[in-house]
């Protein structure tokens, strides 16, 4: 399953991404967490020294395109691939154990793998959009065939900026982290309204809740979309200050909230048909809006209408 954490900047989505990844990894299945936020803090929250971070995906997007293109005859070159380019017959489909991504772009931490898009560099300032880096994550997700009990957990960019690409449709479940404030709820409404026509499963996770009045406020504002609330946590604050931390340090109600989050993800049906349909839809949108002009090609011709999403070729025995 692919899980996104979104929300207003400062709502705690990075912290919750890290806690959820730790908890899911404890259950035994393969887990990869991806820091796709312009503020690259997931590794820091997980206790990694900056020098221990993996190679950033966004810096190597050309190599990633070449690798994923494989032998797809509809894609003339890596230069004609864009962030929305869908896989087809001949493309290289990957799993969480794919050596190209696992060996070079993944670092082990807290019992799971961490991938990062990478921050802005000085060369990017004033001339590049952060979504040019996040495009590497979108390509990875488009070509990923994840198996049962495998999890990809993505810490997304803050607020409505997640809608600047079609990546918001790449997930089986989206957790919107909302503080009990008008600002937190406004981001929920924006996300809900933008995602309404795309069958994107969204549920709200209340965070930094101090009282029953905070819970009542969220219930009044978001209704049935409110799944669970996490209390204000001294243990989490200590973790964010760099002190030693384990999941056992969490308050009982907050540990139970992680159980609830995983149960909600596990109850969600995998919908490869929707995934494939929306991959193609957003590729056509991007081709017509800008990508055809940028590449000098009609990128709609990259679509392999006979390709079945969710199927990964197997190598015959012997």
């Amino acid at each position: 399953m692919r899980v996104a954490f979104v929300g207003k900047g400062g709502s705690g989505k990075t912290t919750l991404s890290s806690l959820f990844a730790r908890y899911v990894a404890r259950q035994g299945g393969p887990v990869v967490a991806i820091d796709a936020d312009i503020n690259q803090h997931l590794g820091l929250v997980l206790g990694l020294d900056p020098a221990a971070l993996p190679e950033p995906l966004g810096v190597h997007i050309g190599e990633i395109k070449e690798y994923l293109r494989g032998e797809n005859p509809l894609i003339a070159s890596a230069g004609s691939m864009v962030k929305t380019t869908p896989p087809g017959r001949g493309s290289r489909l990957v799993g969480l154990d794919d050596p190209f991504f696992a060996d070079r772009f993944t670092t082990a931490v807290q019992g799971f793998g961490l991938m990062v898009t990478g921050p802005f560099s000085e060369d990017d300032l004033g001339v590049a959009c952060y979504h040019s880096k996040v495009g590497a994550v979108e390509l990875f997700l488009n070509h990923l065939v994840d198996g049962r009990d495998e999890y990809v957990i993505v810490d997304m960019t803050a607020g409505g900026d997640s809608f600047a690409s079609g990546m918001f449709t790449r997930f089986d479940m989206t957790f919107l982290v909302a503080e009990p404030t008008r600002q937190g709820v406004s981001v929920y409404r924006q996300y809900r309204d933008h995602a309404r026509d795309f069958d994107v499963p969204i549920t709200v996770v209340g965070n930094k809740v101090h009282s029953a009045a905070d819970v009542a406020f969220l219930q009044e504002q978001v209704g049935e979309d409110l799944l669970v609330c996490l209390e204000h946590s001294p243990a989490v604050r200590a973790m964010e200050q760099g002190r030693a931390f384990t999941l056992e340090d969490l308050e009982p109600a907050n540990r139970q909230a992680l159980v609830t989050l995983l149960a909600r993800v596990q109850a969600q049906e995998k919908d490869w048909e929707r995934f494939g349909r929306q991959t193609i839809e957003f590729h056509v949108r991007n081709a017509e809006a800008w990508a055809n002009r940028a590449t000098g090609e009609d990128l709609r011709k990259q679509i392999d209408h006979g390709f079945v999403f969710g199927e990964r070729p197997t190598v015959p025995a012997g």
Side-chain angles (χ1 to χ4, degrees), residues 14-274:
T14 298
T15 298
L16 283 184
S17 298
S18 74
L19 293 175
F20 187 65
R22 290 182 194 232
Y23 176 72
V24 175
R26 277 198 173 187
Q27 312 313 306
V31 175
V32 169
I34 304 178
D35 192 345
D37 191 357
I38 190 170
N39 299 308
Q40 295 271 285
H41 292 155
L42 186 55
L44 179 67
V45 172
L46 291 167
L48 274 183
D49 186 274
L53 292 173
E55 286 284 320
L57 296 164
V59 174
H60 301 281
I61 192 166
E63 296 172 64
I64 290 170
K65 288 178 178 179
E66 188 64 56
Y67 183 74
L68 295 176
R69 183 173 72 98
E71 299 179 356
N72 187 333
L74 300 181
I75 304 174
S77 68
S80 65
M81 287 184 75
V82 294
K83 62 185 180 181
T84 57
T85 296
R89 286 166 289 188
S91 296
R92 184 175 276 110
L93 304 180
V94 300
L96 295 188
D97 58 351
D98 181 84
F100 177 78
F101 288 99
D103 295 346
R104 182 173 178 185
F105 297 106
T106 307
T107 290
V109 57
Q110 304 292 341
F112 56 90
L114 174 68
M115 301 168 72
V116 301
T117 56
F120 267 159
S121 68
E122 287 191 11
D123 292 339
D124 297 321
L125 296 179
V127 297
C129 169
Y130 190 67
H131 294 282
S132 63
K133 297 182 182 294
V134 176
V137 180
E138 189 166 353
L139 281 166
F140 172 72
L141 294 176
N142 283 351
H143 290 76
L144 174 68
V145 182
D146 40 337
R148 179 177 292 275
D149 297 326
E150 294 182 334
Y151 294 86
V152 178
I153 298 164
V154 181
D155 179 18
M156 295 279 279
T157 54
D161 199 41
S162 298
F163 289 97
S165 77
M167 199 165 80
F168 74 96
T169 65
R170 308 294 82 201
F171 301 100
D172 301 296
M173 174 54 59
T174 296
F175 289 130
L176 191 144
V177 182
E179 297 173 85
T181 64
R182 288 181 296 176
Q183 299 95 314
V185 169
S186 70
V187 172
Y188 152 74
R189 292 188 179 125
Q190 181 185 41
Y191 217 100
R192 177 200 62 191
D193 293 345
H194 285 331
R196 178 176 288 133
D197 296 331
F198 298 100
D199 300 322
V200 175
I202 298 175
T203 192
V204 176
V205 180
N207 194 33
K208 304 180 184 178
V209 168
H210 286 264
S211 65
D214 284 346
V215 176
F217 174 82
L218 287 170
Q219 289 173 333
E220 177 186 352
Q221 297 295 319
V222 309
E224 294 180 353
D225 283 346
L226 181 63
L227 175 67
V228 70
C229 289
L230 284 89
E231 302 172 351
H232 173 73
S233 172
V236 167
R237 177 55 57 86
M239 177 188 73
E240 293 173 336
Q241 292 173 345
R243 287 181 264 170
F245 172 86
T246 69
L247 288 178
E248 283 69 31
D249 297 321
L250 275 179
E251 300 76 13
N254 290 336
R255 287 201 302 271
Q256 185 58 42
L258 298 179
V259 176
T260 301
L261 294 183
L262 180 56
R264 179 63 186 86
V265 172
Q266 291 176 332
Q268 186 68 31
E269 291 290 332
K270 190 84 172 176
D271 191 346
W272 282 112
E273 188 281 328
R274 174 182 69 84

Side-chain angles (χ1 to χ4, degrees), residues 262-290:
L262 180 56
R264 179 63 186 86
V265 172
Q266 291 176 332
Q268 186 68 31
E269 291 290 332
K270 190 84 172 176
D271 191 346
W272 282 112
E273 188 281 328
R274 174 182 69 84
F275 182 84
R277 171 169 42 84
Q278 292 181 338
T279 301
I280 292 170
E281 175 185 350
F282 278 93
H283 184 59
V284 170
R285 287 184 177 212
N286 279 264
E288 294 176 346
W290 64 271

